[in-house]
Amino acid sequence: MLQHFSFKPMFENKQLPGWTFSFFYKQSRYIGDYHPDGKIEWKDSHPPDEETVKKMIHELMLFHVYD
């Protein structure tokens, strides 16, 4: 489970899509960029089970941004 998930627009002009996110997973902090096409770019390291984490991020972004 992702903890303390937060996101903010990449650009000051909120019309341009793209978000920066951060969260804790298994006692480690992860930071990345979420692009409008669903592509995720990690800033530092990748989580251990990356595909599972990506699915959780996609669900959260659908709920918070695209709803």
Side-chain angles (χ1 to χ4, degrees):
M1 173 184 260
L2 305 182
Q3 297 177 336
H4 303 288
F5 182 83
S6 65
F7 66 95
K8 64 180 181 178
M10 279 186 204
F11 310 102
E12 291 204 17
N13 176 359
K14 296 183 194 288
Q15 300 279 3
L16 296 172
W19 301 267
T20 300
F21 63 85
S22 66
F23 61 90
F24 286 89
Y25 182 70
K26 294 187 177 180
Q27 299 178 342
S28 296
R29 185 169 191 246
Y30 297 97
I31 301 169
D33 291 335
Y34 188 89
H35 296 277
D37 62 357
K39 180 180 171 193
I40 293 174
E41 288 183 39
W42 300 103
K43 293 294 183 184
D44 295 326
S45 60
H46 300 254
D49 43 351
E50 184 176 358
E51 289 307 312
T52 303
V53 172
K54 281 184 175 182
K55 288 179 186 177
M56 289 188 265
I57 293 170
H58 289 309
E59 288 178 15
L60 286 166
M61 294 303 286
L62 283 172
F63 179 76
H64 289 293
V65 174
Y66 292 109
D67 189 28

